[in-house]
Amino acid sequence: MFSIGEFSRIARVSPRQLRHYEALGLFQPERIDPETGYRFYSALQLPRLNRILALKDLGLTLPQIRRLLDANISAEEIRGMLTMRKAQVEQTLREELERIRSIEARIFQVEAQGSLTDDVVLKSVPSRNFLSLRQVLASKEQGFALMAQIFRFLPRLTRRGAPGQFALLFSGESFETENIDVEMGFMFDEEALEPVLLPDGRVMTVHPLPAVEHMATMIHIGITHHESCYGALGIWMEQNQYQLAGPGREVFIEPLQPDRLEEAVMEIQIPVTRTNRDHPALITE
Amino acid sequence: MFSIGEFSRIARVSPRQLRHYEALGLFQPERIDPETGYRFYSALQLPRLNRILALKDLGLTLPQIRRLLDANISAEEIRGMLTMRKAQVEQTLREELERIRSIEARIFQVEAQGSLTDDVVLKSVPSRNFLSLRQVLASKEQGFALMAQIFRFLPRLTRRGAPGQFALLFSGESFETENIDVEMGFMFDEEALEPVLLPDGRVMTVHPLPAVEHMATMIHIGITHHESCYGALGIWMEQNQYQLAGPGREVFIEPLQPDRLEEAVMEIQIPVTRTNRDHPALITE
DNA sequence: TTGCTCCTCACGTCACGTGAGGTGGC
DNA sequence: TTGCTCCTCACGTCACGTGAGGTGGC
């Protein structure tokens, strides 16, 4: 019989660890002195402790190990738990690989620019309604004109002003500066509104925008000169192995104030999916 | 200005998260109403929040991010922190890869044996003194005879019986059953003892055993029939990519009781080093 | 009055490490 | 008496999630 100190030196675990395993019902001392509360262990308990440590090395949690050591568990169940755990580790492995790529991209950026820039953040955005007008614009100027018209008419849109955030949705996948297929209007969460007739006879209608699971986003201040954001998004997508997966959006966070457009804050959003490539890391045999 | 709820929906983070970042001094609201304590944020704060989220995605801790966002930090320091983080992730990646191999080995074992067996545990053992006798044994029987002789003489070794744990150290790297180069004696932690003269004229002397950083260990009950342990250790080493790195040891946990040898508990210890192989996972370019 | 949003604690997470404060045998 | 070992709390870790209990404006 060994005291907890002796036993911990033999097994090379800490006394605290032994007490912790005991508290979890995982590993009990062979005897506890009722007088002093001292714990005593025997050498014959070492195999069980070793099994616990070996399973812990595989990354199983202590409650999982407790279930695994349960006498009533079948080999089939054991295999199931290990297979599940393996899948988990493979998943985190893939994530770590991506993380390394992202860090490398950032290091490269710092070396090239001398500082951190262009913070692209991946988010998931929910479905929203879109009161909008779709049009192919011959030029940027035509776009601004349409925007101005909508905004002149805006106070009459609803009693309480704009129903949500002003946004642009670009359907073409090419980033040309003419013949842009754009949908312009207001994104909002409430139930659908009636269609709206503009003075020139065109009609803004409501349809739902789909939720997007993986949206690469970037914040830009002002309503012009945001081409560099698309450049940065493109580089980010390439370095992080994503590709374009749908129409991009430009969402204005706050109601636009026509006299202070240079202070407008816009979020550029691009739906992305992971580029399929072989993961050399997962070739483990 | 947005309330915390509005801002959290815009930025797609939780209000709790915003309060948490504030508590860490990482991200403050632009204004706090002194009356109500309500927090208010502006759209212009989104770039900073995005930077925080982007750096968090790289796996940096919030205090690290705080330092990175500090105005007085140079590009060189930023690069240093990112490079350090990259090395960390690469390390955990290697560990995850090993873990997958270990889990696969365990799954294979369960499939072959129908249950968990042979718990090999990797430990580090400290340096200890060894009062011992080295000899090349022609046969196993000769070994048992030597052991018996030492034990007959044992009561006279010290006043208080054996000075430590009885142990065998095998210098030959081959596992033959004859001409075994073995060192036999007692491992202990106290300061060195005097040499001991055995009745047949041979002398047991003290020398330190080196500490071993990576020791593959296994528990065996009894003093014979432990060949299967060496088989299991060999398989374990192969599957987990380790190789033999020094003389193996057999350490008896408790004082040997000659009439109950079948209940003796022995730890088999084998020093190992990692087998060098290319890690395909680290080919990231 | 009922919802809704906001506020400030404060517990829980996972596997222990690390004191703090106290006790019993050499 | 001084060390040594043991005991039982209980805090801290990391980045929040999740109530609990209370308040102010529509």
Side-chain angles (χ1 to χ4, degrees):
Chain A
M1 297 293 262
F2 304 101
S3 72
I4 196 169
E6 294 163 342
F7 192 71
S8 78
R9 256 166 279 138
I10 289 168
R12 282 163 294 257
V13 297
S14 72
R16 176 69 171 98
Q17 219 175 326
L18 291 170
R19 293 194 194 101
H20 186 56
Y21 293 171
E22 180 185 341
L24 295 185
L26 195 56
F27 188 73
Q28 307 297 133
E30 194 159 288
R31 195 171 75 80
I32 296 185
D33 186 308
E35 300 285 307
T36 62
Y38 276 33
R39 295 163 172 82
F40 293 97
Y41 299 85
S42 95
L44 290 171
Q45 297 187 270
L46 286 170
R48 182 178 173 95
L49 184 55
N50 265 6
R51 174 147 304 172
I52 291 170
L53 297 176
L55 292 172
K56 192 162 83 81
D57 270 354
L58 303 184
L60 295 173
T61 68
L62 298 184
Q64 284 173 331
I65 294 174
R66 195 185 162 180
R67 262 170 280 150
L68 263 184
L69 293 186
D70 194 322
N72 308 77
I73 198 166
S74 72
E76 196 50 45
E77 288 172 290
I78 294 176
R79 215 188 46 163
M81 288 182 70
L82 292 177
T83 305
M84 246 186 60
R85 175 67 194 146
K86 182 185 163 194
Q88 272 178 15
V89 180
E90 281 171 349
Q91 180 57 32
T92 68
L93 200 94
R94 275 187 289 268
E95 288 166 7
E96 299 291 279
L97 262 179
E98 287 166 30
R99 193 160 279 160
I100 287 185
R101 279 198 213 97
S102 303
I103 296 173
E104 281 172 345
R106 279 288 187 163
I107 291 174
F108 178 77
Q109 194 189 71
V110 171
E111 283 170 347
Q113 320 260 325
S115 68
L116 292 169
T117 52
D118 309 329
D119 297 296
V120 177
V121 175
L122 201 60
K123 301 179 169 175
S124 74
V125 314
S127 170
R128 303 188 77 184
N129 280 322
F130 197 21
L131 170 69
S132 62
L133 193 63
R134 182 168 178 172
Q135 196 179 1
V136 177
L137 299 171
S139 68
K140 273 193 173 181
E141 287 64 37
Q142 203 185 336
F144 284 122
L146 179 58
M147 215 168 117
Q149 190 188 1
I150 289 177
F151 273 92
R152 268 198 307 278
F153 195 60
L154 185 143
R156 274 161 287 175
L157 269 180
T158 70
R159 259 151 296 150
R160 289 164 45 202
Q165 294 168 320
F166 185 68
L168 310 175
L169 191 134
F170 299 91
S171 290
E173 298 210 355
S174 61
F175 297 99
E176 289 143 16
T177 49
E178 46 187 37
N179 294 321
I180 313 159
D181 182 352
V182 68
E183 208 174 324
M184 200 178 279
F186 296 93
M187 285 173 43
F188 58 99
D189 291 326
E190 296 77 24
E191 66 286 352
L193 299 166
E194 296 296 306
V196 169
L197 182 66
L198 290 185
D200 68 356
R202 279 179 298 188
V203 179
M204 295 176 78
T205 56
V206 174
H207 69 99
L209 289 179
V212 177
E213 185 61 31
H214 302 290
M215 189 76 103
T217 71
M218 240 182 125
I219 295 289
H220 175 72
I221 314 277
I223 64 161
T224 54
H225 304 300
H226 52 290
E227 297 78 9
S228 69
C229 288
Y230 286 99
L233 278 163
I235 292 171
W236 181 90
M237 281 163 57
E238 189 182 333
Q239 286 178 328
N240 293 276
Q241 304 198 355
Y242 284 98
Q243 60 193 16
L244 197 60
R249 307 177 185 177
E250 293 178 1
V251 181
F252 290 90
I253 302 298
E254 297 168 302
L256 279 175
Q257 306 196 319
D259 52 332
R260 300 169 69 188
L261 288 179
E262 69 286 348
E263 289 178 26
V265 178
M266 160 203 300
E267 183 170 66
I268 298 170
Q269 304 181 338
I270 295 192
V272 293
T273 50
R274 185 155 294 283
T275 303
N276 259 336
R277 275 204 208 171
D278 287 326
H279 284 282
L282 294 185
I283 303 165
T284 53
E285 11 221 355
Chain B
M1 298 292 261
F2 304 102
S3 72
I4 195 169
E6 293 164 343
F7 192 71
S8 79
R9 256 166 281 138
I10 289 168
R12 282 163 292 258
V13 298
S14 73
R16 176 70 171 98
Q17 219 173 323
L18 291 170
R19 293 194 194 102
H20 186 56
Y21 293 171
E22 180 184 342
L24 295 186
L26 195 56
F27 188 75
Q28 307 296 134
E30 196 162 288
R31 197 171 73 78
I32 297 185
D33 188 308
E35 300 284 309
T36 61
Y38 276 34
R39 295 162 172 83
F40 293 98
Y41 299 86
S42 93
L44 290 171
Q45 297 187 271
L46 286 170
R48 182 177 173 96
L49 185 55
N50 264 7
R51 174 146 305 173
I52 291 170
L53 297 177
L55 293 172
K56 193 162 81 82
D57 269 355
L58 303 183
L60 295 173
T61 68
L62 298 183
Q64 284 172 333
I65 293 174
R66 196 185 162 178
R67 262 171 278 149
L68 263 184
L69 294 186
D70 194 322
N72 307 77
I73 198 166
S74 72
E76 196 49 46
E77 287 172 290
I78 293 176
R79 214 187 48 161
M81 288 182 68
L82 292 177
T83 306
M84 245 187 58
R85 174 66 193 148
K86 182 185 163 192
Q88 272 179 14
V89 179
E90 281 171 349
Q91 180 57 33
T92 68
L93 198 92
R94 275 188 289 269
E95 288 166 7
E96 299 291 279
L97 261 179
E98 287 166 30
R99 194 160 280 160
I100 286 185
R101 280 198 212 96
S102 303
I103 295 173
E104 282 173 345
R106 279 290 188 161
I107 292 174
F108 179 77
Q109 196 191 68
V110 170
E111 283 171 348
Q113 320 261 323
S115 69
L116 292 170
T117 51
D118 310 328
D119 296 294
V120 177
V121 175
L122 200 60
K123 301 179 169 176
S124 75
V125 313
S127 170
R128 304 189 75 184
N129 280 322
F130 197 21
L131 170 70
S132 62
L133 193 65
R134 181 167 179 174
Q135 198 179 357
V136 176
L137 300 170
S139 68
K140 273 194 172 180
E141 286 65 36
Q142 204 185 338
F144 284 121
L146 179 60
M147 216 169 117
Q149 190 189 0
I150 290 176
F151 273 92
R152 267 197 307 278
F153 195 60
L154 185 143
R156 275 159 287 174
L157 269 179
T158 70
R159 259 152 295 147
R160 289 165 45 204
Q165 294 168 321
F166 185 67
L168 311 174
L169 190 133
F170 300 92
S171 291
E173 297 211 355
S174 60
F175 297 98
E176 289 142 17
T177 49
E178 46 187 39
N179 295 321
I180 312 160
D181 183 353
V182 68
E183 208 173 324
M184 198 179 278
F186 296 92
M187 284 173 44
F188 58 98
D189 292 325
E190 296 77 24
E191 66 286 353
L193 298 165
E194 298 295 305
V196 170
L197 181 67
L198 291 185
D200 67 359
R202 279 177 300 187
V203 179
M204 296 178 78
T205 57
V206 174
H207 68 100
L209 289 179
V212 176
E213 184 61 31
H214 301 289
M215 188 75 102
T217 72
M218 239 183 124
I219 295 290
H220 175 73
I221 314 277
I223 63 162
T224 54
H225 305 300
H226 52 290
E227 297 79 10
S228 68
C229 289
Y230 286 99
L233 279 163
I235 291 172
W236 181 90
M237 283 163 57
E238 190 183 332
Q239 286 178 328
N240 293 277
Q241 303 199 356
Y242 284 98
Q243 60 195 17
L244 198 59
R249 307 177 185 177
E250 292 177 2
V251 181
F252 290 90
I253 303 296
E254 297 168 301
L256 279 175
Q257 306 196 317
D259 52 332
R260 299 169 68 187
L261 289 179
E262 69 287 347
E263 289 178 25
V265 179
M266 159 203 300
E267 184 170 65
I268 299 169
Q269 304 180 336
I270 296 192
V272 294
T273 51
R274 186 156 293 284
T275 303
N276 261 336
R277 276 204 208 170
D278 288 328
H279 284 284
L282 294 185
I283 304 166
T284 52
E285 10 221 355

